[in-house]
Amino acid sequence: MGYLPANIISGLVGVASIWVFTHLLTPEQYGTYALAFSVFTLVHVGLFSWAEAAMARFWPARSTPRDLADLYSTLYRALGLASLTLIPVCIALLVFEPLPAIMVWPVLLALVGIPLRSALIMAKEGFRARGDVRTAAAIDIWFVIGVFGLGVAAIMLGAGAAGPLIGFLVAPLLALPLVLSKDRAVMKNGRFNRDLLRRAIHYGYPISMSLGMAVVLNSTDRFMLAWFMDEAAVGAYHASYSLANRTLDILFVWLGMAGVPAMVMALEKDGHSALRAAAFQHGQTLILIALPAAVGVALVARPLADVLIGPELRQASASVTPLIAASGFLSGLLFYYFNQAFVLGKRTDRLLTVMAVPAVANIAFNVVLIPRLGIYGAALATVLSFAVAIIASVVGARGVIAMPLQTRALLSCGVCCVPMAAIVYMLPDWGGLLELITKSAAGAATYLGCAYAMNAAGLRDLLANLGHTLNLRQAPHG
């Protein structure tokens, strides 16, 4: 619950950014921003995310202040070395400009901002691992608000497609002096440990590469849309993707902020039986909350697009939102549940192989479907790719750690989505904000009532446990 305010703010800012950016930028500019952001994400995961993953996974096992100091010193120095590898890339981009002129500055700003963003994430992972929810949440809140506000200001000053990327550069730069002051205290007298670095790379780099494969799953469609069609098609697709997928991603990130560290701690402290119980509860909660959210986004795709997406992108975006909602749900289950088996079992080398399968399949699906179906084909390719990814993850996790299958929770929550869909379809199509609010509220109330009556995914048990926990925290100590 401590992470909830940060995720509410992230959700509100995410919605606001879609509305503002799709109104202030032309379809071509918005498509250019989407492509530059994809480059930003791919380079980030390829060079830096291994250190962030190592911080999250190795922190709980460090037993003394000296061990922690060595961990921080080793990972932050490695982050500095990785940052130096970006310098030749940035120089080549300025000198040779291998990209179209409209892409140069957005991509350059994205690349320069990556090390700053990574340092902020690594610091946040340390706070999360030690249970400092308030600081970790504050970092997230500042980042989303700072990126949005600075990006809007830059666009208003004429930065165009580069505007949102300026926010990604400046926001972490402003936050790091305060955040790193706390990490420097932990790092005091720490030493660079080559053996620790080797183990961190062995553990974390396969995660980076698998995340790179995930970026391929999430962004290949944009580059292929630009190739087969144009930047305007990319803009329409990215607007819908941001709207549907971002809504679900916020939920998965929120639940993962608590659920994933809880599974790590359960395994480290109490062994596999405790892990299985924690994993089962985490999986149930993911499905309980994310499945109706995905179905709900699909049901209100048209009024959602009317309210939040600029008029030039609105119609095309609404047509693919249901498919993108489906891919967002599958993506969340993959990354925040099934793929955690490889992280928990420290077999991230196998995770890389598993993620290569859907990444290759995604390219093939896009090549076949985009020329025939346009942006609808790109959305369908993503759904099919994530379905392949989940199958590959379940099969690949055999012999590592078997995450409990959540068939019963999926069926019970799916049953509760049926009356929700029926109620939404029965309501009139007023259009705009009134239709969006009415259908969303009616659908949510119907789902919750049905889920409570059926105890779908253990909803009543979850509420009882939550109430008990809150009562314990409020009780006087003594």
Side-chain angles (χ1 to χ4, degrees):
M1 294 302 292
Y3 290 111
L4 185 57
N7 282 272
I8 291 175
I9 291 172
S10 180
L12 294 174
V13 172
V15 168
S17 65
I18 295 169
W19 188 91
V20 172
F21 293 161
T22 58
H23 282 78
L24 292 181
L25 299 174
T26 67
E28 291 77 13
Q29 289 175 327
Y30 194 73
T32 300
Y33 154 66
L35 293 172
F37 184 77
S38 296
V39 173
F40 165 88
T41 307
L42 184 59
V43 176
H44 181 183
V45 300
L47 287 179
F48 295 94
S49 60
W50 67 269
E52 301 158 9
M55 177 67 81
R57 184 64 182 88
F58 284 31
W59 200 102
R62 313 308 286 179
S63 57
T64 67
R66 182 58 181 269
D67 289 338
L68 275 180
D70 289 351
L71 176 67
Y72 275 70
S73 296
T74 301
L75 292 181
Y76 273 111
R77 290 181 187 181
L79 180 66
L81 292 174
S83 301
L84 293 177
T85 64
L86 274 182
I87 295 176
V89 176
C90 296
I91 293 174
L93 192 64
L94 281 175
V95 174
F96 299 106
E97 295 189 8
L99 299 172
I102 193 175
M103 289 287 297
V104 172
W105 278 106
V107 172
L108 181 62
L109 288 168
L111 292 176
V112 173
I114 289 171
L116 302 172
R117 171 64 172 143
S118 184
L120 195 64
I121 291 176
M122 197 154 69
K124 184 188 74 173
E125 291 296 342
F127 291 122
R128 282 182 58 197
R130 70 171 62 106
D132 189 349
V133 175
R134 179 175 297 179
T135 303
I139 291 173
D140 278 333
I141 291 172
W142 161 250
F143 183 75
V144 296
I145 293 177
V147 167
F148 174 65
L150 292 165
V152 171
I155 293 173
M156 298 296 290
L157 292 172
L165 282 311
I166 291 175
F168 279 94
L169 170 64
V170 179
L173 185 63
L174 296 175
L176 280 173
L178 179 62
V179 172
L180 293 183
S181 65
K182 298 184 178 181
D183 281 2
R184 280 198 297 269
V186 178
M187 210 186 311
K188 187 177 181 180
N189 298 323
R191 296 178 299 179
F192 181 79
N193 187 318
R194 290 187 178 181
D195 180 65
L196 177 59
L197 178 62
R198 179 187 58 79
R199 288 187 287 116
I201 292 175
H202 183 266
Y203 166 79
Y205 207 76
I207 292 180
S208 287
M209 297 305 295
S210 66
L211 288 174
M213 298 298 178
V215 174
V216 171
L217 279 174
N218 285 310
S219 61
T220 299
D221 39 23
R222 293 159 179 77
F223 291 106
M224 289 196 169
L225 281 170
W227 182 25
F228 286 116
M229 301 176 71
D230 52 33
E231 282 77 11
V234 177
Y237 183 82
H238 186 71
S240 178
Y241 201 93
S242 298
L243 187 61
N245 195 65
R246 177 62 177 157
T247 302
L248 296 170
D249 194 47
I250 288 169
L251 293 175
F252 280 113
V253 169
W254 167 46
L255 296 169
M257 279 180 174
V260 172
M263 289 191 294
V264 172
M265 196 63 73
L267 177 61
E268 291 290 341
K269 302 300 182 183
D270 300 307
H272 285 270
S273 60
L275 167 63
R276 185 168 181 84
F280 186 79
Q281 180 63 65
H282 179 54
Q284 277 200 138
T285 307
L286 286 178
I287 292 172
L288 174 69
I289 296 175
L291 179 61
V295 174
V297 168
L299 291 171
V300 297
R302 187 182 57 78
L304 198 61
D306 290 344
V307 172
L308 297 176
I309 296 178
E312 295 179 275
L313 301 171
R314 188 173 295 160
Q315 183 174 353
S317 296
S319 67
V320 296
T321 295
L323 281 175
I324 293 175
S327 69
F329 175 70
L330 296 176
S331 170
L333 287 183
L334 175 69
F335 294 118
Y336 293 95
Y337 188 67
F338 289 109
N339 278 359
Q340 293 302 316
F342 306 100
V343 175
L344 293 163
K346 294 185 179 179
R347 287 301 309 272
T348 52
D349 54 330
R350 191 178 293 188
L351 176 59
L352 175 59
T353 304
V354 165
M355 289 303 298
V357 175
V360 173
N362 181 255
I363 295 173
F365 287 142
N366 276 290
V367 169
V368 172
L369 295 173
I370 289 178
R372 292 168 173 79
L373 301 173
I375 65 171
Y376 191 86
L380 181 59
T382 305
V383 175
L384 295 174
S385 300
F386 277 116
V388 170
I390 287 179
I391 294 171
S393 182
V394 172
V395 173
R398 292 177 178 175
V400 183
I401 287 179
M403 301 297 283
L405 295 178
Q406 300 286 346
T407 307
R408 184 172 180 178
L410 193 61
L411 288 173
S412 61
C413 293
V415 168
C416 293
C417 287
V418 174
M420 177 180 76
I423 290 294
V424 171
Y425 274 119
M426 290 170 58
L427 292 172
D429 296 332
W430 293 298
L433 185 60
L434 176 62
E435 181 182 352
L436 177 62
I437 292 175
T438 303
K439 289 186 174 181
S440 298
T446 303
Y447 174 82
L448 286 173
C450 182
Y452 188 84
M454 292 180 60
N455 196 27
L459 174 59
R460 290 202 297 267
D461 304 325
L462 180 66
L463 293 176
N465 289 337
L466 178 60
H468 179 66
T469 301
L470 293 175
N471 288 334
L472 285 178
R473 290 188 175 185
Q474 293 172 1
H477 298 286

